[in-house]
C-alpha cells in the first residue's frame, strides 16, 4: 500500500450521499482542535480517539458493503492524512521543549558528522558501503517533505530497508550469519548523524503521537523503535560511546564547532549582502556604477594623459559636475565627452524633454553598431551624424526626418545586400579553393 493514493481511497468512501454525516464529523473535529490551545498530550489522545471511532464507524456503516478490507484501510489512511495535514501547523513542534530538543539534537549531529567514522561505532568493514548509506540518508532527509504521519514513517522505513538490504547482502557475500540488531543499529546511528534531518526529534514525536496506533505494529513498530533508540544514543553520545579518548573527543568537538561557526559567519554575511541588495537595488547600482566609473577613469587617464601639470579629472568627478558644467571645462576628456551630456547624468537629472534626444541617441547607436558588426561601412550614409548636443537643440520634426522609415528601410536593404555579398564571396572562395585543389593533385591545366 506504499504507493496507493490514500486520498483517493477516502474520497471514494465519502463521495456517496450517505457519507454526509462522516464529512460533517471530520470538519467539526478539525475545527474543535484548531480552536483550543496546544497541548501535545491532550491533542494526541483526542486525535487517536477520533481515528478509532471513525474506523469503527466506517466498518459499521452501510457503505462498508462492497468494500474490501484493503479499501477500508486506505480510507483510514486517507482520513489520517487529511486530518493531520489540516492540523499540522497547529500540532507539529507546538511545545517549546520539543523545539529546544530539535535545536540541540541538530547542533550535536552537525558537529559529530564532521569527524565521526564507522569505526567509532564498531561497524565491521564488510558492512561498510558509502553508496548505500548515502541512499539511506536521502530517504531519511525526505521526512520534512511530508505532513502526514504515515508518509513521514515511510521515509524512516525506506531508510531502514536500505540498510537492512545492505547488511543482508554483505553477510551473504561473506558467508556469515544474518545480521541482527547489533549490526543494524550502529549503521542506523551513523546514517542518521550523516543525514541530520532538521526537527528530527519533533518528527519522531509527531509519528508517535498521531500515526494510527492500529498501524504502528509489526515491522513498522520494530524499525520505528530502532530509530528512537538511535536518537536516544545520539543525544547522549560522548567519548566513551565512540571508543575515543576524552581529550580527543573534546578537541574534535571544539574543532567542529569552530568550523561550523566560520561557515555560519560566512553564510550570514552572504545572506546579509543579498538581503541588503534586494532591499536596496539603488545601492547595488550605485556600487556597480562607481566601479564602472573608476574603471573608465583609469582608462581615460592612460589614454588621454598629457604633459600638463594639472591632474586628469576622474570620471566620478565629471559626473558630480553634471552635463552643464562640462561645457565650461577645458580639459581634453571633457571635450571628448561634451557630445554625450547623458554620459554622467543620473536618473534625477533627466526631464521629459530629454526623451526625444535619448531616443535619437539610442537609434543612432543601434545603426552604428549594426553597421560595424555587419561590415557595412560608414553608418553616416544610413543615418546622418548628429551629436546629442546638436540633437538637443532640434525639435521633434528633425527627429522624424532623421529617423524616417526611409533610413530604416535603407539599413534593412543594406543588411540584405551585405548578406548576399557575403554569400557571393563565400561562393567565390569555394570555387578558388576547388580550383587550387585540382591543380595540386594534377588535374589542373
Amino acid at each position: 500500500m506504499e504507493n496507493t493514493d490514500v486520498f483517493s481511497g477516502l474520497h471514494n468512501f465519502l463521495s456517496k450521499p450517505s457519507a454526509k454525516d462522516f464529512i460533517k464529523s471530520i470538519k467539526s473535529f478539525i475545527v474543535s482542535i484548531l480552536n483550543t490551545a496546544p497541548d501535545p498530550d491532550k491533542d494526541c489522545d483526542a486525535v487517536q480517539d477520533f481515528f478509532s471511532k471513525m474506523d469503527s464507524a466506517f466498518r459499521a456503516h452501510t457503505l462498508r458493503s462492497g468494500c474490501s478490507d484493503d479499501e477500508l484501510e486506505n480510507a483510514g489512511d486517507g482520513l489520517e492524512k487529511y486530518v493531520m495535514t489540516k492540523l499540522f501547523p497547529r500540532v507539529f513542534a507546538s511545545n517549546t521543549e520539543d523545539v529546544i530538543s530539535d535545536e540541540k539534537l541538530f547542533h550535536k549531529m552537525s558537529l559529530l558528522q564532521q569527524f565521526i567514522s564507522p569505526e567509532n561505532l564498531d561497524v565491521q568493514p564488510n558492512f561498510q558501503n558509502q553508496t548505500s548509506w548515502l541512499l539511506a540518508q536521502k530517504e531519511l532527509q525526505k521526512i520534512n517533505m511530508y505532513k502526514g504521519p504515515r508518509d513521514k514513517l515511510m521515509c524512516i522505513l525506506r531508510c531502514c530497508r536500505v540498510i537492512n538490504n545492505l547488511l543482508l547482502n554483505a553477510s551473504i557475500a561473506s558467508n556469515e550469519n544474518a545480521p541482527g540488531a547489533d549490526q543494524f543499529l550502529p549503521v542506523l546511528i551513523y546514517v542518521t548523524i550523516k543525514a541530520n534531518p532538521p526537527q528530527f526529534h519533533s518528527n519522531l514525536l509527531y509519528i508517535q503521537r498521531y500515526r494510527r496506533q492500529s498501524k504502528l505494529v509489526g515491522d513498522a513498530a520494530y524499525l520505528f523503535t530502532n530509530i528512537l533508540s538511535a536518537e536516544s544514543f545520539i543525544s547522549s553520545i560522548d567519548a566513551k560511546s565512540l571508543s575515543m579518548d576524552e581529550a580527543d573527543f573534546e578537541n574534535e568537538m571544539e574543532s567542529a564547532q569552530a568550523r561550523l561557526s566560520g561557515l555560519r559567519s560566512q553564510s550570514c554575511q552572504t545572506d546579509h549582502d543579498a538581503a541588503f541588495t534586494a532591499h536596496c537595488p539603488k545601492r547595488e547600482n550605485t556600487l556597480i556604477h562607481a566601479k564602472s566609473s573608476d574603471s573608465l577613469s583609469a582608462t581615460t587617464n592612460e589614454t588621454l594623459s598629457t604633459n600638463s601639470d594639472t591632474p586628469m579629472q576622474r570620471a566620478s568627478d565629471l559626473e558630480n559636475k553634471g552635463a552643464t558644467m562640462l561645457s565650461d571645462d577645458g580639459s581634453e576628456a571633457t571635450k571628448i565627452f561634451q557630445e554625450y551630456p547623458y554620459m554622467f547624468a543620473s536618473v534625477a537629472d533627466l526631464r521629459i524633454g530629454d526623451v526625444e534626444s535619448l531616443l535619437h541617441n539610442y537609434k543612432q547607436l543601434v545603426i552604428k553598431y549594426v553597421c560595424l558588426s555587419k561590415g557595412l561601412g560608414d553608418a553616416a550614409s544610413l543615418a546622418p551624424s548628429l551629436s546629442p548636443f546638436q540633437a538637443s537643440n532640434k525639435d521633434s520634426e528633425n527627429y522624424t526626418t532623421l529617423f524616417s522609415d526611409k533610413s530604416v528601410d535603407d539599413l534593412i536593404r543594406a543588411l540584405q545586400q551585405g548578406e548576399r555579398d557575403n554569400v557571393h564571396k563565400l561562393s567565390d572562395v569555394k570555387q578558388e579553393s576547388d580550383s587550387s585543389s585540382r591543380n595540386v593533385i594534377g588535374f589542373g591545366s
Side-chain angles (χ1 to χ4, degrees), residues 54-233:
M54 289 298 291
D55 184 64
S56 299
F58 280 173
R59 296 182 182 278
H61 200 273
T62 54
L63 290 173
R64 198 247 186 265
S65 60
C67 292
S68 65
D69 290 338
D70 286 342
E71 288 173 328
L72 285 174
E73 290 297 332
N74 288 342
D77 285 336
L79 175 65
E80 176 191 285
K81 185 171 184 176
Y82 176 80
V83 170
M84 296 315 303
T85 298
K86 295 292 185 181
L87 297 180
F88 185 81
R90 158 68 171 68
V91 301
F92 184 81
S94 60
N95 190 306
T96 304
E97 294 179 0
D98 295 341
V99 175
I100 294 174
S101 296
D102 280 331
E103 294 175 352
K104 288 183 177 179
L105 182 63
F106 183 81
H107 180 68
K108 190 164 190 177
M109 288 196 287
S110 297
L111 300 179
L112 290 170
Q113 65 181 191
Q114 296 186 50
F115 65 87
I116 196 171
S117 67
E119 289 75 18
N120 292 136
L121 298 168
D122 298 326
V123 178
Q124 300 176 23
N126 58 313
F127 289 145
Q128 297 180 20
N129 188 317
Q130 293 292 343
T131 303
S132 295
W133 287 350
L134 183 61
L135 178 59
Q137 293 169 35
K138 295 297 182 184
E139 291 295 339
L140 194 58
Q141 288 169 344
K142 293 177 183 177
I143 196 169
N144 286 303
M145 295 172 58
Y146 304 99
K147 295 181 179 180
R150 176 182 179 273
D151 294 329
K152 289 181 177 292
L153 177 62
M154 294 308 301
C155 294
I156 295 173
L157 299 185
R158 285 192 292 266
C159 169
C160 292
R161 286 167 185 165
V162 171
I163 296 173
N164 190 59
N165 289 337
L166 161 67
L167 297 176
L168 185 61
N169 292 334
S171 63
I172 293 174
S174 58
N175 294 320
E176 295 182 3
N177 295 328
D182 292 340
Q183 291 76 36
F184 176 81
L185 187 58
V187 177
L188 179 60
I189 292 170
Y190 181 82
V191 166
T192 302
I193 292 173
K194 287 295 186 178
N196 193 13
Q199 297 181 295
F200 190 56
H201 176 73
S202 289
N203 273 292
L204 296 183
L205 287 180
Y206 182 74
I207 296 170
Q208 199 171 27
R209 289 168 179 164
Y210 302 113
R211 176 58 174 152
R212 289 191 298 157
Q213 295 300 315
S214 60
K215 303 299 295 181
L216 202 54
V217 295
D219 288 343
Y222 172 74
L223 295 176
F224 186 68
T225 300
N226 274 270
I227 200 74
L228 290 176
S229 299
E231 184 211 8
S232 177
F233 179 87

Side-chain angles (χ1 to χ4, degrees), residues 146-368:
Y146 304 99
K147 295 181 179 180
R150 176 182 179 273
D151 294 329
K152 289 181 177 292
L153 177 62
M154 294 308 301
C155 294
I156 295 173
L157 299 185
R158 285 192 292 266
C159 169
C160 292
R161 286 167 185 165
V162 171
I163 296 173
N164 190 59
N165 289 337
L166 161 67
L167 297 176
L168 185 61
N169 292 334
S171 63
I172 293 174
S174 58
N175 294 320
E176 295 182 3
N177 295 328
D182 292 340
Q183 291 76 36
F184 176 81
L185 187 58
V187 177
L188 179 60
I189 292 170
Y190 181 82
V191 166
T192 302
I193 292 173
K194 287 295 186 178
N196 193 13
Q199 297 181 295
F200 190 56
H201 176 73
S202 289
N203 273 292
L204 296 183
L205 287 180
Y206 182 74
I207 296 170
Q208 199 171 27
R209 289 168 179 164
Y210 302 113
R211 176 58 174 152
R212 289 191 298 157
Q213 295 300 315
S214 60
K215 303 299 295 181
L216 202 54
V217 295
D219 288 343
Y222 172 74
L223 295 176
F224 186 68
T225 300
N226 274 270
I227 200 74
L228 290 176
S229 299
E231 184 211 8
S232 177
F233 179 87
I234 296 169
S235 298
S236 59
I237 208 168
D238 55 17
K240 186 178 181 180
S241 305
L242 300 180
S243 303
M244 293 178 65
D245 180 74
E246 184 69 31
D248 291 340
F249 178 78
E250 292 299 330
N251 289 335
E252 291 287 0
M253 292 291 280
E254 289 175 4
S255 299
Q257 179 63 58
R259 288 192 294 270
L260 192 61
S261 299
L263 291 174
R264 282 178 178 171
S265 62
Q266 292 178 9
S267 177
C268 288
Q269 182 62 39
T270 302
D271 293 343
H272 172 76
D273 293 343
F276 185 78
T277 299
H279 289 290
C280 306
K282 290 184 178 179
R283 171 65 176 167
E284 180 188 25
N285 293 336
T286 302
L287 291 174
I288 294 174
H289 184 73
K291 291 178 181 179
S292 301
S293 297
D294 292 342
S295 176
L296 175 61
S297 175
T299 305
T300 304
N301 288 340
E302 287 182 17
T303 308
L304 303 176
S305 61
T306 64
N307 295 327
S308 173
D309 294 334
T310 304
M312 182 66 66
Q313 289 185 318
R314 296 170 61 85
S316 56
D317 297 332
L318 296 176
E319 180 177 3
N320 291 332
K321 289 185 177 183
T324 303
M325 294 183 64
L326 284 176
S327 60
D328 298 328
D329 199 326
S331 68
E332 188 68 23
T334 298
K335 292 177 182 178
I336 291 176
F337 287 113
Q338 268 187 343
E339 289 190 87
Y340 308 98
Y342 303 109
M343 181 68 180
F344 307 109
S346 64
V347 176
D349 297 329
L350 301 180
R351 298 292 182 266
I352 298 296
D354 297 326
V355 173
E356 288 183 316
S357 180
L358 288 170
L359 181 61
H360 156 74
N361 294 340
Y362 169 75
K363 291 181 178 180
Q364 190 179 52
L365 175 64
V366 171
I367 290 177
K368 286 183 177 181

